[in-house]
């Protein structure tokens, strides 16, 4: 049951800063996204799909200061967005790559495989989410830990199972494509075992300081995005 890279996660202090970062770094203005009432976040999206990475896209996401999450009190937002250290880094250094999400056909089975694999990992429970778009309603199930942590410095993907509509199906091609994704980690064997349990083969894992590296082709030429493990 293979997993596929679904989308890259770019965190920003504000969505406006995220849009400006895309324009300066990638040479394109991201298309519309939407709001996530459950998490109190909102996003903008860019297709980065290729034959090797079908339906892949890039998400610029930020906390929506005008909305309070409907998620139960005490539970954190996804992707470590409630983490004070991450927010301080975004304030000081601007938007950056922090994580990626892997698409699976059966998220419950994928999480079971991960928790019972050679290196058992608690990726968190599945949360049901949705939002309306001009092309139809998006429904998905996504793994979100109660503490919101990404794990392995963002190099272990969040797991997502989409309903009948996928957001990339209606995204225009803007000339930005994903050419590769790789990770370094001090415990590469553990990270690699977790990827194997998920059926994920699209990302190379090597020993080294924590880092997630995405290679993109853009209107500005080749661009490398790094999380730098911070």
């Amino acid at each position: 049951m293979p997993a596929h890279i679904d989308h890259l996660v770019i965190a920003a202090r504000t969505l406006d800063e995220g849009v400006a970062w895309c324009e300066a770094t990638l040479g394109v203005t991201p298309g519309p996204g939407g709001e996530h009432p459950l998490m109190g976040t909102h996003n903008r999206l860019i297709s980065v799909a290729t034959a090797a990475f079908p339906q892949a896209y890039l998400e610029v996401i930020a906390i929506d200061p005008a909305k309070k999450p409907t998620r139960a009190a005490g539970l954190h937002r996804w992707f470590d967005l409630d983490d004070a250290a991450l927010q301080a880094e975004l304030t000081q250094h601007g938007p950056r790559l922090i994580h990626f999400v892997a698409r699976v056909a059966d998220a419950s089975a994928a999480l079971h495989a991960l928790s019972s694999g050679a290196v058992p990992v608690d990726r968190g429970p599945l949360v049901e989410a949705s939002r309306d778009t001009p092309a139809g309603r998006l429904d998905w199930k996504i793994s979100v830990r109660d503490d919101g942590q990404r794990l392995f410095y963002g190099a272990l993907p969040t797991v997502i199972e989409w309903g009948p509509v996928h957001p990339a199906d209606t995204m225009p091609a803007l000339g930005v494509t994903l050419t590769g994704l790789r990770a370094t980690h001090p415990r590469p064997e553990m990270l690699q075992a977790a990827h194997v349990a998920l059926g994920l083969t699209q990302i190379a894992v090597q020993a080294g300081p924590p880092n997630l590296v995405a290679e993109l082709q853009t209107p500005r030429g080749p661009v490398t995005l790094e999380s730098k493990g911070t």
Side-chain angles (χ1 to χ4, degrees):
M1 189 171 60
H4 302 278
I5 294 171
D6 190 71
H7 64 275
L8 307 178
V9 179
I10 307 295
R13 187 182 67 88
T14 70
L15 201 53
D16 285 345
E17 288 184 6
V19 171
W21 174 89
C22 284
E23 293 171 340
T25 305
L26 306 179
V28 299
T29 300
E35 299 178 348
H36 313 112
L38 183 66
M39 297 291 171
T41 57
H42 50 179
N43 67 7
R44 297 282 294 269
L45 309 174
I46 299 172
S47 172
V48 296
T50 65
F53 302 104
Q55 294 183 305
Y57 65 98
L58 181 148
E59 172 186 40
V60 179
I61 190 167
I63 291 174
D64 185 345
K67 300 294 174 60
K68 182 178 180 180
T70 60
R71 189 160 157 84
L75 302 185
H76 291 218
R77 291 177 174 90
W78 43 28
F79 312 145
D80 274 319
L81 290 179
D82 284 319
D83 182 72
L86 175 60
Q87 287 297 326
E89 291 163 5
L90 297 177
T91 298
Q92 182 176 3
H93 301 295
R96 66 177 175 85
L97 175 68
I98 63 164
H99 193 38
F100 75 107
V101 176
R103 181 176 67 252
V104 297
D106 186 332
S108 294
L111 293 182
H112 175 73
L114 188 59
S115 64
S116 60
V119 180
V121 177
D122 178 9
R123 180 63 279 187
L126 285 177
V127 173
E128 294 189 5
S130 64
R131 66 178 178 87
D132 293 317
T133 76
R137 186 175 180 84
L138 293 175
D139 296 287
W140 66 96
K141 299 176 183 177
I142 188 168
S143 61
V144 184
R145 288 170 57 98
D146 290 351
D147 59 14
Q149 289 187 13
R150 292 163 288 160
L151 303 181
F152 286 87
Y153 298 91
L156 178 66
T158 288
V159 173
I160 195 167
E161 175 187 337
W162 287 100
V165 179
H166 190 278
D169 292 340
T170 55
M171 289 182 200
L174 298 179
V176 181
T177 54
L178 177 64
T179 58
L181 185 64
R182 65 184 189 274
T184 57
H185 195 273
R187 297 172 294 167
E189 67 288 343
M190 296 181 66
L191 179 58
Q192 184 65 56
H195 284 191
V196 169
L198 287 175
L200 181 65
T201 61
Q202 293 177 301
I203 174 170
V205 177
Q206 297 178 326
N211 199 11
L212 185 64
V213 183
E215 302 285 352
L216 301 169
Q217 186 63 44
T218 80
R220 295 187 180 279
V223 171
T224 300
L225 305 180
E226 299 188 58
S227 69
K228 299 186 184 300
T230 56

